[in-house]
Amino acid sequence: MGQPKILATHGLFETAREILNAECDVEYMTGAMRPTREELVARIAERDGLVCLLTEKIDEEVLQAAPKLRIVANVAVGYDNVDVSACTKRGIVVTNTPGVLDETTADFAWTLMMAVARRLGEAERFARSGEWKNWDLDQLCGTDVWGKTLGIVGLGRIGQAMARRAAGFQMKVIYTGRKRAPQEVEKAVNAEYRDLDAMLGEADFVSLHVPLTAETRGMFNAEKFSKMKRSAFLINTARGPVVNEEDLVRALEKGTIAGAGLDVFEREPTIHPGLKRANVVLAPHLGSASVETRTKMACMAAKNVVDFFRGQRPPNAVNPEVLQGS
Ligand code: NAP
């Protein structure tokens, strides 16, 4: 039997390629643009494994074109782009990259929070414009972050990393989720549980850290914004569709909330024109985007593939039930 045939929808990083190339026959889809769906479907036919990014939708159509496929290694912790139940039905294992991006993503959520509160986007544009003539007492005054209340939606790995950062800013941390976190977690990150509505009424910054699922899709809508303080900011580094963007634009226009820091959008890479406002800081999905972390993510995906074809359990299977008996 020859080496397993793998399709990677990206050139990955050198260290990840070394891991894969040592044991697999890999085709890398490189190029300035992400591969089209047609290209993906055309290339996947004879492949035993796929390494893909969150921009590739791995659904029935793709799976049907890949009768030999046994593993989908997503280079992301969120795997809403993969139809996991369709994979499971076909006995295909799906893996993700949890844990290695927590601190980097929390850093970025914090960056957005600071930037929108202290009006950094506006200030940077102003400084570059040549319009700055003198220091003024009330010029571009923003809102303090320190000492405020941070509301975390989803106290998972990244949510907890956010909570840890709050300690240095003397912030109170409250969180919400489907259930209360274990007491030792609450204690370790000094966070108090609230139900969602209570949290929305109390938080000065609401930061989203839930996965995109059927339950969380559209979770943040007009009703939720109306429960937030008018002085509060929304920070989203989770997934765009967790927020109803039309409702968010209306809430920003009407002053229902004070502003937003957004890394993710409903229809990436399209950004709703109504979000291009002074009180919104925008980023093109950069949460985990440090060289160190993206390299770790790519290596983790590569390791999952290599372990699987060695007959070992891939460490990050999200549907481990397909591995039973293997
Ligand atoms: P995680 O450790 O699984 O944490 C997710 C948290 O959300 C858990 O506390 C979970 O609680 C909670 N949750 C799940 N469904 C919920 C619901 N319906 N209502 C309320 N809470 C719910 O995941 P993570 O590693 O922190 O990552 C979180 C998400 O961040 C990822 O799924 C990904 O989409 C996103 N992300 C984005 C970037 C970026 O570049 N912007 C980077 C990394 C991650 P339970 O214990 O009840 O499940």
Side-chain angles (χ1 to χ4, degrees):
M1 216 183 81
Q3 288 186 322
K5 289 188 164 53
I6 309 299
L7 180 68
T9 64
H10 190 275
L12 306 178
F13 295 95
E14 180 67 34
T15 40
R17 282 202 298 272
E18 279 169 13
I19 296 169
L20 280 172
N21 293 345
E23 304 190 27
C24 306
D25 170 6
V26 193
E27 181 190 359
Y28 297 94
M29 297 175 83
T30 53
M33 296 294 288
R34 303 296 314 130
T36 64
R37 198 170 162 75
E38 291 70 30
E39 285 164 346
L40 172 62
V41 167
R43 300 279 186 89
I44 204 171
E46 294 299 312
R47 306 293 161 173
D48 304 300
L50 174 69
V51 179
C52 61
L53 307 191
L54 53 80
T55 42
E56 277 93 46
K57 201 167 160 56
I58 309 304
D59 56 10
E60 272 293 347
E61 189 197 358
V62 173
L63 298 178
Q64 264 173 28
K68 296 184 175 169
L69 197 67
R70 295 177 62 205
I71 181 165
V72 173
N74 206 36
V75 189
V77 64
Y79 47 87
D80 47 277
N81 58 310
V82 182
D83 185 340
V84 177
S85 67
C87 286
T88 304
K89 273 190 216 129
R90 290 164 187 266
I92 297 169
V93 61
V94 179
T95 65
N96 67 341
T97 64
V100 290
L101 41 62
D102 304 348
E103 303 298 336
T104 301
T105 306
D107 276 355
F108 201 71
W110 206 271
T111 302
L112 288 175
M113 185 166 85
M114 295 293 298
V116 71
R118 297 297 302 271
R119 303 177 63 180
L120 185 63
E122 286 175 83
E124 224 260 349
R125 290 187 290 273
F126 180 63
R128 282 174 191 251
S129 73
E131 297 293 307
W132 186 31
K133 300 292 183 243
N134 56 286
W135 188 91
D136 210 345
L137 191 62
D138 57 356
Q139 193 166 65
L140 283 164
C141 288
T143 303
D144 278 331
V145 169
W146 79 272
K148 295 284 176 63
T149 298
L150 171 64
I152 293 174
V153 184
L155 194 66
R157 288 173 293 249
I158 300 169
Q160 288 172 43
M162 269 310 265
R164 285 194 293 273
R165 279 158 180 70
F169 285 73
Q170 301 163 59
M171 294 176 88
K172 176 177 177 180
V173 181
I174 55 179
Y175 78 96
T176 192
R178 288 188 287 202
K179 54 186 187 305
R180 261 185 93 150
Q183 263 191 352
E184 58 272 22
V185 170
E186 285 187 356
K187 223 173 135 201
V189 298
N190 201 15
E192 292 173 22
Y193 178 79
R194 300 282 188 275
D195 68 36
L196 178 56
D197 286 355
M199 196 212 70
L200 294 176
E202 196 178 336
D204 300 301
F205 298 91
V206 173
S207 191
L208 308 185
H209 299 287
V210 289
L212 174 61
T213 62
E215 241 183 316
T216 62
R217 186 175 287 277
M219 182 181 185
F220 271 74
N221 55 15
E223 186 222 335
K224 298 294 181 306
F225 298 130
S226 71
K227 290 179 173 155
M228 286 171 65
K229 293 184 186 176
R230 293 181 84 81
S231 55
F233 295 86
L234 178 78
I235 310 300
N236 188 9
T237 56
R239 284 287 183 265
V242 173
V243 172
N244 180 321
E245 245 166 40
E246 282 295 336
D247 287 4
L248 175 59
V249 166
R250 266 194 296 275
L252 290 162
E253 277 168 5
K254 289 198 290 189
T256 313
I257 66 171
L262 306 172
D263 184 41
V264 287
F265 303 90
E266 255 189 275
R267 281 170 288 276
E268 293 173 14
T270 302
I271 296 181
H272 192 305
L275 293 175
K276 294 174 186 170
R277 311 168 49 85
N279 59 344
V280 179
V281 173
L282 303 165
H285 204 145
L286 295 178
S288 63
S290 70
V291 173
E292 298 95 317
T293 291
R294 289 279 171 87
T295 304
K296 282 183 198 153
M297 290 162 67
C299 289
M300 203 168 181
K303 184 95 173 55
N304 274 287
V305 170
V306 165
D307 281 4
F308 176 74
F309 286 110
R310 278 180 186 167
Q312 296 163 6
R313 289 178 81 82
N316 310 107
V318 301
N319 57 348
E321 62 274 22
V322 304
L323 296 166
Q324 244 128 58
S326 70

